[in-house]
């Protein structure tokens, strides 16, 4: 077990120790790409498909 405390700061510290900078950059890029797509693409079919994807992975949004 790690000596890092069970706080948000501790979780971030553990994550930064276990995730490489390249993986972190990829994660941030994917999140930004999805966010920008949802923000700027107002085509209802695209928006609904992303909405359904969020529900499929367990993200509550209402």
């Amino acid at each position: 077990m790690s000596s890092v405390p069970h706080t948000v700061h501790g979780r971030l510290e553990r994550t930064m120790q276990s995730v490489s900078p390249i993986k972190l950059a990829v994660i941030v890029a994917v999140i930004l790409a999805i966010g920008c797509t949802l923000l700027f693409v107002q085509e209802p079919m695209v928006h609904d498909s992303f909405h359904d994807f969020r529900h499929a992975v367990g993200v509550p949004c209402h």
Side-chain angles (χ1 to χ4, degrees):
M1 187 84 183
S2 174
S3 64
V4 179
H6 294 287
T7 61
V8 172
H9 180 67
R11 290 177 188 157
L12 288 173
E13 187 175 326
R14 275 194 310 271
T15 301
M16 294 306 291
Q17 291 171 356
S18 64
V19 175
S20 70
I22 293 173
K23 279 186 180 179
L24 184 60
V26 169
I27 291 168
V28 170
V30 168
I31 290 171
L32 286 174
I34 291 171
C36 288
T37 301
L38 286 173
L39 182 63
F40 294 114
V41 175
Q42 293 300 315
E43 182 68 34
M45 189 167 54
V46 173
H47 184 83
D48 287 345
S49 69
F50 274 109
H51 181 104
D52 294 340
F53 173 76
R54 285 192 321 246
H55 283 289
V57 296
V59 177
C61 58
H62 327 219

